[in-house]
């Protein structure tokens, strides 16, 4: 594990991008939102990639994981489904600190626009089914789990404590 690369995993709307940007700033690291990285690489939006097929998007995501796993001094906010392919996590497991940002589904539903997210366009019930499908994978693949059920400041402090304690 390398503390110079931090991968945030968790549900859509868990706060990975917001927390990632702030964490990178506090650490003096670069920040990368994996979905935006994929959009820049493919010249297509995530929604357009999903229109082609979810498998097509996942293949693009796997390529992005291989590329991004080579970064240093970077905080990466993954897409929520990155754990669906073990190869994605394998790209990072020995090269990064993998942190699961855990947030109650009810809190996520209060904050996000489900219409703007390709996998959530069918409504709020879909978020619960995604949680059931993925939460065990997040727990299995993370090195650390941090709850996002208080303030963003608390989450950042908890992550920084983990990083400082480990090294």
């Amino acid at each position: 594990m390398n503390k110079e690369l931090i991968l945030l995993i968790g549900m859509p709307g868990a706060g990975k991008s917001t927390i990632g940007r702030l964490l990178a700033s506090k650490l003096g690291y670069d920040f990368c939102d994996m979905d935006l990285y994929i959009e820049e690489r493919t010249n297509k939006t995530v929604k357009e990639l999903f229109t082609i097929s979810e498998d097509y998007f996942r293949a693009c995501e796997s390529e992005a994981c291989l590329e991004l796993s080579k970064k240093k001094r970077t905080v990466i906010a993954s897409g929520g489904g990155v754990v669906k392919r073990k190869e994605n996590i394998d790209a990072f497991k020995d090269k990064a600190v993998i942190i699961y940002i855990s947030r109650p589904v009810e809190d996520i539903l209060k904050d996000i626009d489900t219409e703007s997210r390709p996998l959530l366009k069918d409504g709020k019930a879909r978020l619960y089914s995604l949680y059931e499908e993925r939460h065990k994978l997040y727990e299995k693949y993370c090195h650390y789990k941090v709850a996002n059920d208080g303030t963003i400041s608390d989450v950042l402090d908890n992550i920084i404590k983990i990083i400082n304690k480990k090294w």
Side-chain angles (χ1 to χ4, degrees), residues 6-156:
I6 299 167
L7 177 69
L8 303 180
I9 62 174
M11 288 291 291
K16 299 179 301 286
S17 294
T18 301
I19 292 163
R21 273 187 199 89
L22 294 168
L23 180 62
S25 177
K26 277 189 172 245
L27 296 173
Y29 283 16
D30 293 329
F31 172 73
C32 180
D33 181 299
M34 192 178 290
D35 284 347
L36 295 178
Y37 180 84
I38 293 167
E39 288 181 347
E40 289 171 12
R41 249 182 112 262
T42 62
N43 243 0
K44 290 182 175 27
T45 66
V46 169
K47 193 173 188 174
E48 289 169 332
L49 294 169
F50 266 89
T51 300
I52 296 167
S53 75
E54 183 175 351
D55 281 343
Y56 183 74
F57 172 78
R58 297 290 170 210
C60 294
E61 184 175 58
S62 292
E63 287 177 29
C65 287
L66 288 173
E67 293 167 10
L68 293 172
S69 68
K70 296 177 176 108
K71 295 258 186 204
K72 299 286 185 224
R73 297 184 58 79
T74 303
V75 176
I76 300 168
S78 72
V82 74
V83 294
K84 290 185 69 169
R85 289 190 174 183
K86 185 178 180 295
E87 68 201 66
N88 295 343
I89 297 302
D90 286 346
F92 287 100
K93 73 177 178 186
D94 296 327
K95 299 177 183 174
V97 179
I98 302 173
I99 299 174
Y100 168 26
I101 305 297
S102 173
R103 188 169 186 219
V105 174
E106 296 75 25
D107 291 352
I108 294 171
L109 287 171
K110 289 178 199 168
D111 287 348
I112 67 166
D113 172 15
T114 54
E115 295 295 314
S116 68
R117 303 205 179 217
L119 281 178
L120 303 180
K121 67 183 184 311
D122 297 329
K124 295 178 178 186
R126 180 72 172 122
L127 193 62
Y128 286 99
S129 65
L130 285 176
Y131 177 80
E132 287 304 314
E133 172 190 318
R134 296 176 180 174
H135 83 276
K136 287 183 179 140
L137 293 172
Y138 296 136
E139 290 185 353
K140 176 181 177 180
Y141 293 136
C142 74
H143 296 120
Y144 302 97
K145 178 179 173 181
V146 175
N148 180 9
D149 57 2
T151 67
I152 294 289
S153 193
D154 290 341
V155 176
L156 291 170

